[in-house]
Amino acid sequence: MLDKSLLEKNTVNYTAEQIEAIAKGFCPMCLPKYHSYRILNTYYSNESQMRLHHVKCDNLFDCEWDEHVPAVREDHGLEDFFNS
């Protein structure tokens, strides 16, 4: 799941429900149906100083949603747990 606080800061205005959908891997424009999105590429943005995913809705016929979202996942406190 992507980090919701970074999504809120680094994306266009979305509702809380749409942010939740993006964080879980779904297109925010296709709600209430849940269509996933695909990651087209991942790159480092000098402007935002973080890695971003360029994503597009899988529902190619009915939706043209195309966005750049932070590639950072939520930290549940288990990062590098098994490497310590």
Side-chain angles (χ1 to χ4, degrees):
M1 185 149 82
L2 296 178
D3 190 321
K4 288 184 246 178
S5 63
L6 285 175
L7 282 170
E8 290 171 352
K9 290 182 211 171
N10 294 294
T11 55
V12 183
N13 297 325
Y14 290 110
T15 65
E17 182 182 27
Q18 289 174 320
I19 292 286
E20 184 74 23
I22 295 170
K24 291 182 177 179
F26 299 109
C27 173
M29 299 306 175
C30 291
L31 294 176
K33 294 182 180 180
Y34 287 95
H35 290 281
S36 60
Y37 58 75
R38 72 177 105 162
I39 298 172
L40 301 177
N41 67 347
T42 302
Y43 63 96
Y44 185 80
S45 168
N46 288 325
E47 182 180 322
S48 61
Q49 297 293 308
M50 70 176 67
R51 292 178 57 77
L52 298 175
H53 290 309
H54 178 198
V55 296
K56 186 164 179 65
C57 182
D58 269 343
N59 185 9
L60 298 175
F61 296 109
D62 297 326
C63 182
E64 295 183 17
W65 182 70
D66 190 336
E67 184 69 78
H68 299 267
V69 297
V72 179
R73 298 191 173 277
E74 283 186 18
D75 180 7
H76 295 289
L78 296 175
E79 295 297 319
D80 295 324
F81 174 77
F82 295 105
N83 295 328
S84 58

